Amino acid sequence: MKNIITTLLGVFLIAFATEATAQSYKVIVNSANSTESISKKNLSEIFLKNKTKWDDGSSISPVDLKSSSATRKAFSNDVLGRDVGAIRSYWQQAAFSGKGTAPVERSSDAEVITFVKNNPGAVGYISESTDASGVKVLTIN
């Protein structure tokens, strides 16, 4: 009986952990962008500005949500593999050494959508529950 309870508890914890870490964001690009899907590795390279051109040669303009955003926290942990504080430190060091600047930040999902609509090379992320009308949602593979 004790083994059954332990096993059930383990299954419950795994199920809960999986649900709690489910993707809570969606990645968006300008509707004119021909990209349909993207890997987490490519997203990481884009948001760390190691990849600066789309496959068609056009410039990429990543846009972040404000650092206190729960969606940004989820995106940073899931895609960049680091928390928001570590990413901010990364960009402070890069700026200090002259190696680059952080992506532009917007305060809300609506502002990210507006930025992406107005910039053909833009890529951003918004809350999974936000209406993405007017922009294209990418499949993450």
Side-chain angles (χ1 to χ4, degrees):
M1 182 68 172
K2 193 173 187 179
N3 287 341
I4 292 172
I5 292 172
T6 303
T7 302
L8 288 175
L9 182 60
V11 169
F12 173 76
L13 289 174
I14 290 169
F16 179 76
T18 302
E19 182 66 28
T21 60
Q23 185 174 306
S24 58
Y25 60 87
K26 50 190 167 189
V27 174
I28 59 170
V29 294
N30 186 282
S31 58
N33 191 314
S34 63
T35 305
E36 297 292 332
S37 66
I38 194 163
S39 68
K40 285 184 182 179
K41 180 179 186 252
N42 276 338
L43 276 174
S44 178
E45 290 172 349
I46 288 169
F47 278 85
L48 295 176
K49 294 192 175 178
N50 295 322
K51 179 179 172 87
T52 59
K53 302 279 184 191
W54 291 107
D55 290 342
D56 67 3
S58 62
S59 293
I60 300 174
S61 300
V63 55
D64 269 323
L65 282 166
K66 63 184 176 181
S67 60
S68 61
S69 163
T71 304
R72 180 168 176 179
K73 290 173 186 174
F75 180 86
S76 292
N77 287 325
D78 191 40
V79 173
L80 304 175
R82 300 178 238 182
D83 65 29
V84 174
I87 296 301
R88 289 179 65 115
S89 293
Y90 169 88
W91 285 116
Q92 288 170 343
Q93 291 172 0
F96 182 74
S97 65
K99 293 183 180 177
T101 58
V104 297
E105 283 187 16
R106 294 294 180 256
S107 296
S108 67
D109 288 347
E111 289 182 18
V112 169
I113 291 169
T114 299
F115 181 89
V116 170
K117 281 182 182 177
N118 294 331
N119 295 280
V123 58
Y125 52 88
I126 56 176
S127 170
E128 183 66 35
S129 62
T130 299
D131 179 17
S133 297
V135 294
K136 183 190 294 184
V137 176
L138 297 184
T139 301
I140 300 173
N141 51 22

